[in-house]
Amino acid sequence: MKRDLTKEELYESVKQLIELEEKPLIQLNQHKLFTLFSIAFQYLLYQSTKNPGAYIIRVEDSSLADKLAKKSKDLSTRRFLQSLLLPRKLKYDKSTFYLDFFHFGSWGATNEIPKEKAQVALIVKNTTSRPLDEIHPVITEEEVGPFPPDYYLTSLASFAKKTILIAYDEERANFHKVSFGFIKKEAERTVSGVTLSKELSWDKLEDET
């Protein structure tokens, strides 16, 4: 893998999230998707040993989940997510991790979780945003109609004790934004003498630097 997070970077970042115990809604909106996921997941892993219960990871689609399993920035996160991909439900110590997607049809196991057991929900958006009906054309109007466009988020935030949203360059009311100092601000990059705009979706390239 291109450079994984150092133990110090990961430790200090997770500690930063732990210190926000009083903030039930957190947003990570920097541009390093795989880095942010590693930090957020390691926070979930830590909390799962301290507060047993249900830990929910909701990723935009299965393609993004595959990328996270391959490109997250620490080995243990990659291995855990690879194990979670197929069953989408995995026991860890006294807690259980669940994986689903923005598509309503993937919420079967998640909907069965007793609300009082839901500890942390981690929602991960891709760097490019598409309406649900473009991601999953098979969803009928009846399925989508009664729900707001961000129901994939609000449906979990309404009962999880803490919700962490990874969404790049998105304004989200009531969410406390967290930034990590070692992640440099995004800027135009020059590759072989050609300047590339910061508007480019870097997630579509081979990997992060």
Side-chain angles (χ1 to χ4, degrees), residues 4 23 66 81 96 109 122 127 133 160 164 172 184 187 193 198:
D4 276 359
K23 302 290 185 182
D66 287 337
L81 195 56
T96 304
L122 171 59
T127 51
D133 56 353
I164 300 176
R172 180 65 61 171
K184 304 302 181 184
K198 67 180 180 180

Side-chain angles (χ1 to χ4, degrees), residues 24-25 44 54-59 98-102 106-107 109-115 118-124 150-165 175:
L25 302 174
L44 262 66
Y55 289 79
I56 305 162
I57 302 171
R58 179 166 290 171
V59 180
Y98 296 81
L99 172 67
D100 65 18
F101 310 111
F102 288 11
S106 69
W107 297 4
T110 311
N111 287 339
E112 295 176 359
I113 300 172
K115 299 296 187 286
Q119 296 292 340
V120 183
L122 171 59
I123 294 93
V124 188
D150 61 352
Y151 190 64
Y152 62 87
L153 169 63
T154 59
S155 59
L156 291 180
S158 65
F159 64 87
K161 293 181 177 63
K162 184 181 288 289
T163 300
I164 300 176
L165 169 66
F175 275 73

Side-chain angles (χ1 to χ4, degrees), residues 8-24:
E8 182 180 1
E9 288 170 337
L10 199 53
Y11 173 82
E12 291 298 332
S13 299
V14 171
K15 181 182 176 184
Q16 191 173 338
L17 294 180
I18 293 171
E19 291 172 350
L20 296 173
E21 183 178 354
E22 77 286 357
K23 302 290 185 182

Side-chain angles (χ1 to χ4, degrees), residues 59-60 100-107 132 136 138-139 143:
V59 180
E60 187 160 334
D100 65 18
F101 310 111
F102 288 11
H103 183 250
F104 305 117
S106 69
W107 297 4
L132 286 179
H136 302 283
V138 297
I139 299 178
E143 288 178 295

Side-chain angles (χ1 to χ4, degrees), residues 37-78:
F37 181 79
S38 278
I39 294 169
F41 178 78
Q42 289 298 319
Y43 169 78
L44 262 66
L45 212 57
Y46 170 82
Q47 290 292 348
S48 72
T49 63
K50 303 297 181 182
N51 302 294
Y55 289 79
I56 305 162
I57 302 171
R58 179 166 290 171
V59 180
E60 187 160 334
D61 52 38
S62 58
S63 175
L64 179 57
D66 287 337
K67 288 182 180 179
L68 292 169
K70 294 175 182 175
K71 298 184 178 184
S72 292
K73 293 302 179 178
D74 74 287
L75 182 58
S76 65
T77 296
R78 293 193 294 269

